[in-house]
């Protein structure tokens, strides 16, 4: 394993705010730090290119999606897992690097105990043909974008629930799909997935993190990847949860699964039955995606950081420019549980293949 160093560097101010031990004062310090860090981030200039790719729509317990706030007889909401392909100019060298954020190998992800049990309960036909929709594969989207697996420098996930990394990075005896790529992961997440608590096991693919050490780059906190691209440390949903932050020419957007829709960050604007009343009653400004509750106070603070770092959407300034890695999706099986608004998927610039010399290397 490799600890991150140059060309990566930390974002300013946020680590100092997180050092505050008391949750209330820490939240207030994080509010100020997030706004100042955003200003510094934007000054560096926009990212080279981003493409958003829908992978699979799948069921997720309604109880978890809005922390129990949503009122519906439907046991599941539907969410669409998405991948971002990001190209940015590396600090110092100026070389264009390619990051895949949340390139879920969803076929292998079925082995996570929660979803394995769901498939056993409903059977393969209902699970694959009715309750889920496959939109495309990671490899298929890369081909459509004019890229090859050898063009990819980095893989990263907001967290490692239901991820099996072995197909992408090796470790199960077969050649890895991505021959050059390395995994960017928070040290806290990597330590956790190697030593799971019994209450965490249900969301993780057994052996899914058993990849060669040299394919792993450990991050310690907020990390500036290059011009217009950063990974924010946003713990709470899991211990090493992180969020993708991208600056375009017009706005900043943030991606994670701390919330299942942009209205998770503005619940008073939600038209989903129960969500607004819950937020008013509890006095919450954000509503958590709460399937694990490893540290709800931390997750709440992380969502506030995401909210302030992203800022308002250029499409609808009433809503935060937050784009869930797994997006709440309207579906006949989930009446009343469609999103109040769906922001246009973040896409900008033109993606380019890596030069042949680097591919050969």
């Amino acid at each position: 394993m490799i600890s991150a160093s140059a060309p990566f560097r930390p974002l300013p101010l946020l680590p100092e705010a997180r050092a505050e031990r008391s949750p209330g004062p820490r939240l207030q310090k994080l509010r100020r730090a997030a706004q100042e860090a955003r200003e510094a981030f934007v000054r560096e200039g926009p990212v080279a290119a981003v493409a958003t790719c829908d992978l699979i729509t799948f069921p997720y317990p309604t109880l978890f999606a809005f922390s129990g706030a949503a009122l519906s007889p439907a046991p599941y909401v539907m969410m669409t897992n998405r991948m971002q392909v990001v190209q940015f100019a590396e600090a110092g060298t100026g070389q264009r690097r390619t990051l895949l954020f949340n390139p879920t190998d969803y076929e292998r992800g079925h082995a996570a105990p929660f979803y394995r049990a769901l498939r056993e309960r409903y059977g393969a036909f209902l699970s694959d043909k009715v309750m889920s929709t496959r939109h495309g594969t990671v490899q298929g989207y890369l081909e459509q974008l004019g890229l090859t697996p050898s063009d990819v420098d980095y893989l990263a996930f907001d967290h490692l629930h239901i991820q099996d990394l072995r197909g992408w990075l090796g470790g199960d005896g077969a050649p890895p799909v991505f021959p050059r790529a390395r995994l960017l992961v928070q040290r806290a997440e990597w330590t956790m997935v190697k030593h799971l608590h019994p209450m965490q096991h249900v969301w993780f693919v057994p052996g899914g993190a058993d990849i060669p050490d040299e394919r792993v780059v450990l991050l310690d906190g907020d990390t500036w990847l290059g011009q217009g691209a950063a990974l924010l440390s946003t713990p709470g949903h899991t211990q090493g949860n992180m969020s993708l932050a991208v600056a375009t020419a017009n706005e900043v957007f943030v991606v994670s699964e701390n919330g299942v829709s942009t209205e998770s960050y503005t619940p008073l604007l939600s038209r989903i039955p129960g969500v607004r009343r819950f937020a008013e009653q509890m006095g919450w400004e954000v509503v958590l995606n709460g399937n694990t509750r490893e540290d709800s106070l931390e997750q709440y603070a992380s969502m506030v950081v995401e909210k302030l770092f992203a800022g308002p959407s250029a499409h609808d300034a009433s809503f935060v420019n937050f784009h869930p890695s797994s997006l709440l999706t309207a579906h006949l099986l989930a009446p009343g549980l469609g999103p109040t608004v769906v922001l246009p998927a973040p896409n900008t610039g033109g993606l380019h293949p890596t030069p042949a010399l680097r591919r050969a290397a």
Side-chain angles (χ1 to χ4, degrees):
M1 286 171 285
I2 304 169
S3 293
S5 58
F8 300 153
R9 53 193 171 97
L11 276 167
L13 303 172
L14 285 165
E16 181 180 341
R18 287 197 179 91
E20 169 62 51
R21 294 176 63 86
S22 179
R26 181 167 65 249
L27 176 58
Q28 297 310 314
K29 290 183 178 181
L30 282 169
R31 289 184 190 278
R32 295 191 293 271
Q35 292 171 318
E36 294 180 32
R38 182 188 195 275
E39 293 170 4
F41 180 62
V42 170
R43 284 197 298 269
E44 292 279 321
V47 77
V50 179
T52 300
C53 310
D54 291 351
L55 294 175
I56 185 170
T57 298
F58 64 97
Y60 184 71
T62 303
L63 178 66
F64 298 151
F66 289 95
S67 292
L71 300 178
S72 172
Y76 303 107
V77 301
M78 293 293 169
M79 302 206 298
T80 299
N81 183 248
R82 305 189 292 180
M83 169 181 71
Q84 268 78 35
V85 183
V86 184
Q87 289 190 332
F88 57 90
E90 184 179 77
T93 69
Q95 292 189 38
R96 182 175 284 215
R97 302 295 187 187
T98 301
L99 164 74
L100 304 187
F101 191 68
N102 288 317
T104 301
D105 189 344
Y106 52 76
E107 298 295 351
R108 284 176 173 257
H110 290 154
F114 182 86
Y115 282 103
R116 187 179 67 237
L118 204 64
R119 288 174 62 81
E120 290 172 355
R121 178 179 180 182
Y122 292 105
F125 177 80
L126 285 178
S127 299
D128 296 337
K129 303 298 183 182
V130 179
M131 299 176 69
S132 63
T133 303
R134 290 159 170 78
H135 304 287
T137 64
V138 172
Q139 300 98 311
Y141 279 118
L142 287 178
E143 184 176 355
Q144 291 177 32
L145 294 167
L147 302 175
T148 71
S150 295
D151 290 310
V152 177
D153 296 283
Y154 302 111
L155 309 181
F157 300 84
D158 48 14
H159 63 299
L160 294 178
H161 282 173
I162 75 165
Q163 301 301 335
D164 190 335
L165 308 173
R166 292 170 293 186
W168 296 157
L169 296 170
D172 59 359
V177 170
F178 298 102
R180 297 178 48 254
R182 291 188 291 171
L183 175 72
L184 303 180
V185 62
Q186 293 290 331
R187 188 184 301 272
E189 187 81 355
W190 198 244
T191 300
M192 175 197 69
V193 77
K194 294 294 187 177
H195 306 281
L196 290 173
H197 185 280
M199 293 181 68
Q200 297 171 316
H201 275 286
V202 71
W203 296 106
F204 290 89
V205 174
D210 293 343
I211 61 174
D213 287 348
E214 62 269 19
R215 306 302 296 274
V216 181
V217 178
L218 298 178
L219 307 178
D220 291 295
D222 311 287
T223 303
W224 214 321
L225 300 177
Q227 184 173 316
L231 294 172
L232 305 178
S233 174
T234 53
H237 186 70
T238 63
Q239 290 174 310
N241 203 89
M242 61 183 181
S243 308
L244 173 68
V246 172
T248 72
N250 302 313
E251 57 186 351
V252 175
F253 70 86
V254 171
V255 178
S256 84
E257 204 177 281
N258 276 319
V260 301
S261 66
T262 184
E263 66 204 84
S264 300
Y265 296 76
T266 53
L268 298 185
L269 300 179
S270 177
R271 293 198 294 267
I272 295 174
V275 172
R276 177 176 178 174
R277 177 182 292 183
F278 176 85
E280 289 176 333
Q281 180 180 4
M282 300 300 292
W284 291 8
E285 68 175 285
V286 296
V287 176
L288 284 59
N289 172 18
N291 65 325
T292 56
R293 297 301 184 92
E294 291 193 11
D295 193 327
S296 296
L297 298 183
E298 284 274 39
Q299 186 175 348
Y300 188 103
S302 292
M303 291 178 71
V304 171
V305 168
E306 291 175 324
K307 178 177 183 175
L308 295 173
F309 204 94
S313 167
H315 174 75
D316 185 341
S318 301
F319 291 91
V320 175
N321 203 25
F322 174 82
H323 295 263
S325 54
S326 291
L327 172 69
L328 185 71
T329 302
H331 199 281
L332 289 174
L333 294 180
L337 294 172
T340 300
V341 65
V342 177
L343 302 178
N347 299 293
T348 189
L351 295 161
H352 301 299
T354 300
L357 182 62
R358 274 183 58 206
R359 285 208 302 272

